[in-house]
Amino acid sequence: MEQAYAAIGRAVAFAQIFETALIPIFEFFKMQTDPGYLEKTGGYVPAGAFKVPAKNVIKALSAKGDIAPDLEARLNSYVEDRHVLIHRWVQENGWPADNDSAGFAPIVELANRVEHEARSLTRLLAGYMVKFAEPEWAAANGEDYKAKMAVMFHRAHMGG
């Protein structure tokens, strides 16, 4: 039981870390790709941006064709798993007794999957930003930088 609660706690923490990275990365992407958005925001993440669900970010990227289908599917799967773990597990499955290790096994499996994907997706997107939005590299490679930012959600999962 303690392992299950620890797994759920890690999953929640890394889900929050992922979403704390995703929102400013998405905002930065829009500043580079949406005409006038940089000027509108002054280069800052707008108030309320962190209240936007990850699902809405995925929908916005998809609507404009700004995300690779496999990354979109991966993000949607992650969001669904996270949602089940945090919002629907008890409603859909009940809760095992404290001493029911077999009953906790599927919860631990789901929590571990959410944690793994949150970690992996954070590294993927943040790694892309570190590689291609590093100020010195971006200044020295202006056109390449703009091109890399425009395809971020198409290329990040492929390493750039």
Side-chain angles (χ1 to χ4, degrees), residues 37-123:
Y37 195 71
L38 176 62
E39 292 76 19
K40 177 182 172 185
T41 63
Y44 291 97
V45 174
F50 286 100
K51 293 182 180 183
V52 175
K55 187 77 166 174
N56 289 2
V57 171
I58 300 163
K59 286 179 184 178
L61 290 166
S62 182
K64 291 186 174 183
D66 286 334
I67 188 169
D70 54 337
L71 181 58
E72 179 180 359
R74 184 176 173 189
L75 285 165
N76 279 326
S77 179
Y78 158 78
V79 167
E80 178 60 20
D81 282 351
R82 179 198 160 282
H83 192 74
V84 168
L85 179 67
I86 295 173
H87 299 289
R88 294 196 321 251
W89 183 271
V90 172
Q91 295 165 1
E92 293 177 1
N93 302 289
W95 197 252
D98 287 350
N99 59 355
D100 183 5
S101 59
F104 276 105
I107 300 166
V108 171
E109 180 183 333
L110 178 60
N112 288 340
R113 190 168 62 239
V114 169
E115 176 193 357
H116 177 269
E117 272 299 272
R119 282 179 185 252
S120 180
L121 289 164
T122 301
R123 286 184 184 124

Side-chain angles (χ1 to χ4, degrees), residues 29 33 66 128 146-156 160:
F29 170 79
T33 59
D66 286 334
Y128 191 91
K146 288 179 184 179
K148 294 287 186 187
M149 292 302 104
V151 296
M152 177 186 325
F153 292 98
H154 280 283
R155 307 278 311 180

